[in-house]
Amino acid sequence: NGPTMNSVGAAYLYRRAASGEWIFRKLLVPDFQSTGSHVGASVAVSGDTVVVGAPGAITSQTCDSGGQNCTDIIRGGLAYVFKRNEGGPNNFGYLTELRALGALSPLKDEDNFGASVAVRDDGNSLVITVGMPGYDNDVDEDGTVGCDTNTFTECNVGAAYVYFSDTNSSGLTRLLADDKNGNDEFGSAVAISNDTVVVGAAHDTFD
């Protein structure tokens, strides 16, 4: 056995039997696992798709040639997609990972991408929304990129990412609040139904 990996996390999949009982079927974990990933901090399921958030997952690091000693570790967060028939009928196998794209600021620790997830799979199209409440505003009014550690006015503004695909196209959209205030944590919760996405900002304030 290898070393203990604390707080890796996982998601547990249950299916309802004909008797009405909910039966454990599978442990959902990504192919790459690391301590502190917090896989399963958020989960969502629709149709044939399961999405699992891992807000502590490693998004970049520098390792030696043996891949053992790593430094400059950034835990920006990831989300993982599992599909019902991936790897076999009703297998709910690992398909791919989702990560934040399109940000001018590099991913940093505690960006918390994957803190919230939502999915809509209607069999014809797939829409996945992932919240990132620790995201810092791209550009401050004075031109500063990222979080201003003196005032923290651009820190933890938050964002949400919407991934769309169907038989003809695919795309990615980043959603930001209109006011983009620091510490609003836009993306702390997400939900989707039909053509509507709702994004929570748990610490938004109003004058």
Side-chain angles (χ1 to χ4, degrees), residues 52-63:
V52 179
I58 294 173
T59 47
S60 66
Q61 59 185 340
T62 302
C63 301

Side-chain angles (χ1 to χ4, degrees), residues 43-94:
V43 294
V45 59
S46 175
D48 294 335
T49 304
V50 174
V51 181
V52 179
I58 294 173
T59 47
S60 66
Q61 59 185 340
T62 302
C63 301
D64 61 18
S65 58
Q68 299 299 315
N69 299 309
C70 300
T71 58
D72 301 323
I73 297 174
I74 301 297
R75 297 182 178 275
L78 297 168
Y80 303 103
V81 181
F82 300 82
K83 296 289 285 186
R84 179 189 300 272
N85 296 320
E86 185 71 19
N90 294 312
N91 182 56
F92 280 96
Y94 171 71

Side-chain angles (χ1 to χ4, degrees), residues 81-149:
V81 181
F82 300 82
K83 296 289 285 186
R84 179 189 300 272
N85 296 320
E86 185 71 19
N90 294 312
N91 182 56
F92 280 96
Y94 171 71
L95 179 66
T96 190
E97 71 177 28
L98 302 176
R99 59 176 61 224
L101 299 172
L104 296 179
S105 306
L107 284 172
K108 62 173 179 38
D109 280 338
E110 299 182 1
D111 267 350
N112 288 327
F113 179 86
S116 59
V117 295
V119 58
R120 188 209 69 192
D121 179 358
D122 62 10
N124 296 312
S125 63
L126 176 65
V127 181
I128 297 172
T129 305
V130 182
M132 185 178 175
Y135 174 76
D136 296 333
N137 201 19
D138 280 344
V139 181
D140 198 351
E141 293 179 356
D142 62 2
T144 302
V145 175
C147 175
D148 185 339
T149 56

Side-chain angles (χ1 to χ4, degrees), residues 4 36 95 130 150 154 188 205:
T4 300
L95 179 66
V130 182
N150 293 315
E154 303 299 320
S188 53
T205 57

Side-chain angles (χ1 to χ4, degrees), residues 134-192:
Y135 174 76
D136 296 333
N137 201 19
D138 280 344
V139 181
D140 198 351
E141 293 179 356
D142 62 2
T144 302
V145 175
C147 175
D148 185 339
T149 56
N150 293 315
T151 64
F152 296 100
T153 53
E154 303 299 320
C155 306
N156 300 322
V157 171
Y161 291 77
V162 181
Y163 303 80
F164 169 84
S165 65
D166 59 19
T167 55
N168 299 313
S169 63
S170 63
L172 166 63
T173 300
R174 184 181 62 178
L175 304 179
L176 299 171
D178 288 343
D179 51 12
K180 292 183 285 188
N181 290 323
N183 298 314
D184 278 356
E185 296 190 7
F186 180 86
S188 53
V190 294
I192 183 169

